[in-house]
Amino acid sequence: EIVMTQSPATLSVSPGERATLSCRASQSVGRDLAWYQQKPGQPPRLLIYNASNRATGIPARFSGSGSGTDFTLTISVLQSEDFAIYFCQQYDDWPRITFGQGTRLEIK
Amino acid sequence: QPQLQESGPGLVKPSETLSLTCTVSGGTVAGGSLSSSAYYWGWVRQTPGKGLEWIGTIYYDGSTFYSPSLNSRVTISADTSKNHFSLRLRFVTGADTAVYYCARQKTFGGVIAPYFDYWGQGTLVTVSS
């Protein structure tokens, strides 16, 4: 099983600043990586797929990068609605999909 | 866009079978048809301890894909006439207590794109006597 490790577990950032979240795979997943945002009481929301493609309706302040084992989600100018938990998911090893444990983005 | 809604008992006794249904609406144009070859339909669960865990996925032709860790206990089926698909998880324990989500996976060039682009709101299932 490919293990996805996200860091940090919690990230404190002020509104208007940039947030950088990391996701590392235990082995190469190419660019088969997605990012999700989850707010309390809601399901995950797809942000990024194929490492860097924004999903439909996702603002341009969200960007993804990376390949192989190291990936980054960047939120360029944090808005109040961006404070949430973010998960990465690899699907290179389909049908053995795995998720990271999440990074909580909180207001500093 | 499609709408997905989970339904089923919120409480299941240990050793019994958890059964959930995901009803998909929105029609073919909205990408909500289980009869379409353009989509796969999956189940994912979430616990505070283990986070998000993929359970399994079904395709319009009835082919199924299961998580290796749950494969021996899981069955996913679909009723295209009712446009819903179902999850059965046998011999449940407290470790199966979770929020269960159904979600859609697209295809790209005829091949599955195994990320989840639309999700139901989720339903909490507690395993307890």
Side-chain angles (χ1 to χ4, degrees):
Chain A
E1 172 182 294
I2 298 177
V3 177
M4 307 302 292
T5 303
Q6 292 186 241
S7 61
T10 302
L11 181 62
S12 299
V13 184
S14 300
E17 294 189 340
R18 173 188 298 258
T20 302
L21 290 68
S22 295
C23 176
R24 174 166 290 179
S26 60
Q27 65 190 70
S28 177
V29 297
R31 293 179 58 81
D32 293 334
L33 185 108
W35 288 95
Y36 300 87
Q37 175 194 67
Q38 188 177 32
K39 297 180 180 179
Q42 296 184 18
R45 174 194 181 196
L46 178 67
L47 299 175
I48 301 286
Y49 63 94
N50 294 352
S52 61
N53 295 102
R54 273 190 302 279
T56 302
I58 301 303
R61 65 180 182 274
F62 291 91
S63 63
S65 62
S67 64
T69 61
D70 291 296
F71 300 87
T72 300
L73 174 70
T74 300
I75 311 171
S76 58
V77 180
L78 275 168
Q79 308 294 310
S80 57
E81 62 265 30
D82 299 336
F83 293 95
I85 300 175
Y86 291 83
F87 295 95
C88 59
Q89 175 218 335
Q90 70 79 21
Y91 44 90
D92 184 68
D93 196 25
W94 170 257
R96 286 170 288 276
I97 293 170
T98 50
F99 293 86
Q101 81 281 15
T103 289
R104 180 183 301 274
L105 179 59
E106 64 176 28
I107 300 174
K108 186 174 182 180
Chain B
Q1 59 186 28
Q3 306 290 325
L4 294 84
Q5 179 66 59
E6 305 88 353
S7 59
L11 181 64
V12 182
K13 290 182 168 57
S15 80
E16 296 191 345
T17 296
L18 179 159
S19 296
L20 295 174
T21 295
C22 180
T23 300
V24 183
S25 59
T28 303
V29 173
S33 173
L34 268 62
S35 300
S36 170
S37 62
Y39 307 104
Y40 288 66
W41 304 91
W43 289 96
V44 177
R45 68 183 183 180
Q46 185 172 30
T47 62
K50 290 191 69 176
L52 290 163
E53 180 182 18
W54 172 67
I55 300 169
T57 290
I58 190 164
Y59 193 36
Y60 85 106
D61 62 0
S63 54
T64 52
F65 308 85
Y66 298 134
S67 165
S69 64
L70 297 170
N71 182 63
S72 62
R73 299 194 291 132
V74 171
T75 301
I76 296 175
S77 59
D79 185 334
T80 55
S81 68
K82 296 180 179 178
N83 216 43
H84 71 208
F85 62 107
S86 299
L87 168 69
R88 287 171 56 84
L89 181 65
R90 297 175 292 278
F91 309 117
V92 297
T93 70
D96 296 309
T97 294
V99 175
Y100 286 76
Y101 295 100
C102 56
R104 191 184 80 169
Q105 295 165 285
K106 295 196 305 185
T107 60
F108 185 77
V111 178
I112 186 172
Y115 47 84
F116 302 94
D117 62 348
Y118 287 99
W119 297 64
Q121 283 299 306
T123 187
L124 174 63
V125 178
T126 301
V127 178
S128 175
S129 55

